[in-house]
Amino acid sequence: MDRFAALKRAFVAVIVIVLGAFACESPDSERETSAPERRFLSVGTAPPGGAFFVVGGAIAQVVDDHGGDLSWDVTAEATKGTQENIRRLVRGELDFALANAAISYFAVRGEGAWGEKQEISAVMTLAPNIALFVTPEGTGIRAMGDLKGKRVVVGPAGAGFEYFLAPILEAHGVTYEDFSPLHNTQAGAVDMLADGSAAAAFLGGAVPTASITQASASQDIYFIPFGETERERLFRDYPFFNAASIPPETYRGQTETFEGMNVGSMHLVTPAALDEETVYRFTRILYENRGDVVSKHPAGKAINPANVIRDTGTPFHPGAVRYYREIGIWPN
């Protein structure tokens, strides 16, 4: 009996050890099979009502929808626009954001009001921003020089329009001191043209631009032309400027092609310090599902092989370059 009891005790001990081993391994097994920790990524846009707000929202939704097993939560955040976006990227408060390429150009160089270099990188170049000065037919303004002494809407206060407007004016021999600059939204500028409180306004965006459509619907307007020599000089001196035309009949009363300018494309930017793998995956998902962006806003058509890699003066992030090299569209 003593021998039987001893064997029984030994058998029970073995069972206890085996069960204990399984108990010890259980948490590790659960960790191995559990879902990866969710990661939250934010995309800065701009105030509601403009293309940045819609396109930024579309980008966030498309990447979130097609993240697969990455366990990303990607959301868009309305902001005041490019300047706020850049500052918040640098502070680590945003992961990606839309910006005007002209403003980014000066930000990464620490020029103008920036004071010091802003450490951001480009992910992809998006839709062009085709803008110009318009004026009611009856003002007598027919050239850029005629803006002198007039009341002119130059964009919302604090929006950063001066970064691309100042070079345009300077090339044509005009400065902000030569006229009375007024600050308003594009919709507000149209109202000021209609009631005569402004003689001209700088309007634009993706073509057709809603504000110009509205302005031309209520009265006859004139597109103030850029000088050809001045345009060529701007294209030579600044990589964010390039030629862009507005086809005839785009707006009421426009019978001829208007030879305009892209005054700074919308582009997607990120902190220079963001890890390469995250930027690579974000770029890949967005590019491979670009058709879904187009379905939400026509500006998504700019996500194409020829345009996304266009140099606007802001260095591209290594993660984006890695993807573009992988698919064979990055220049050697």
Side-chain angles (χ1 to χ4, degrees):
M1 290 295 293
D2 290 343
R3 184 178 178 186
F4 177 77
L7 289 172
K8 183 177 179 180
R9 284 196 297 273
F11 178 76
V12 170
V14 170
I15 294 297
V16 169
I17 291 171
V18 171
L19 290 175
F22 275 111
C24 291
E25 289 180 1
S26 179
D28 288 338
S29 300
E30 289 177 2
R31 281 196 293 270
E32 290 175 3
T33 58
S34 63
E37 184 178 350
R38 299 203 69 79
R39 182 177 182 185
F40 297 89
L41 296 175
S42 55
V43 180
T45 62
F52 272 36
F53 180 79
V54 181
V55 175
I59 287 173
Q61 183 178 339
V62 168
V63 176
D64 188 67
D65 288 347
H66 297 280
D69 59 357
L70 289 176
S71 295
W72 284 358
D73 279 325
V74 187
T75 57
E77 182 176 340
T79 68
K80 294 180 181 178
T82 296
Q83 294 195 95
E84 179 186 328
N85 288 346
I86 291 174
R87 293 188 179 100
R88 292 184 63 191
L89 286 170
V90 172
R91 292 198 299 262
E93 297 173 2
L94 294 171
D95 301 293
F96 296 88
L98 294 183
N100 178 283
I103 301 175
S104 299
Y105 174 91
F106 292 103
V108 297
R109 289 162 176 77
E111 297 178 5
W114 291 105
E116 60 183 18
K117 295 180 180 179
Q118 305 299 304
E119 300 297 333
I120 61 169
S121 300
V123 176
M124 63 175 59
T125 303
L126 300 171
N129 175 27
I130 302 174
L132 66 153
F133 284 99
V134 304
T135 184
E137 280 284 359
T139 63
I141 299 175
R142 288 295 178 269
M144 294 286 287
D146 296 335
L147 294 173
K148 294 179 179 180
K150 304 297 194 301
R151 292 167 57 84
V152 181
V153 184
V154 293
F161 279 29
E162 65 274 10
Y163 284 103
F164 47 84
L165 252 182
I168 292 172
L169 292 168
E170 182 181 358
H172 291 85
V174 183
T175 69
Y176 275 86
E177 288 70 35
D178 292 325
F179 57 83
S180 298
L182 309 173
H183 295 285
N184 210 329
T185 63
Q186 294 207 46
V190 172
D191 292 337
M192 296 182 78
L193 292 176
D195 65 21
S197 55
F202 192 72
L203 304 177
V207 176
T209 302
S211 58
I212 301 178
T213 299
Q214 182 183 351
S216 61
S218 59
Q219 61 182 318
D220 293 333
I221 64 170
Y222 179 77
F223 291 0
I224 303 171
F226 300 113
E228 186 56 36
T229 301
E230 290 79 2
R231 280 202 327 152
E232 292 301 324
R233 185 186 312 145
L234 290 166
F235 300 160
R236 183 182 66 246
D237 293 345
Y238 299 97
F240 53 82
F241 285 129
N242 61 283
S245 60
I246 301 177
E249 308 303 331
T250 299
Y251 303 105
R252 189 184 71 83
Q254 181 204 351
T255 59
E256 299 179 355
T257 298
F258 180 80
E259 298 301 337
M261 282 196 297
N262 174 10
V263 301
S265 290
M266 175 194 305
H267 68 162
L268 184 65
V269 292
T270 191
L274 190 60
D275 67 281
E276 180 178 322
E277 189 65 22
T278 296
V279 178
Y280 167 81
R281 292 185 176 189
F282 195 100
T283 306
R284 175 176 57 80
I285 294 169
L286 179 56
Y287 187 85
E288 290 180 353
N289 297 283
R290 57 195 182 276
D292 288 1
V293 181
V294 177
S295 69
K296 302 176 192 307
H297 194 286
K301 295 177 182 178
I303 306 178
N304 62 69
N307 189 69
V308 293
I309 59 169
R310 189 166 59 79
D311 178 22
T312 61
T314 298
F316 275 80
H317 194 284
V321 173
R322 173 181 155 197
Y323 176 69
Y324 297 140
R325 288 190 189 281
E326 187 177 281
I327 63 174
I329 66 173
W330 188 258
N332 295 324

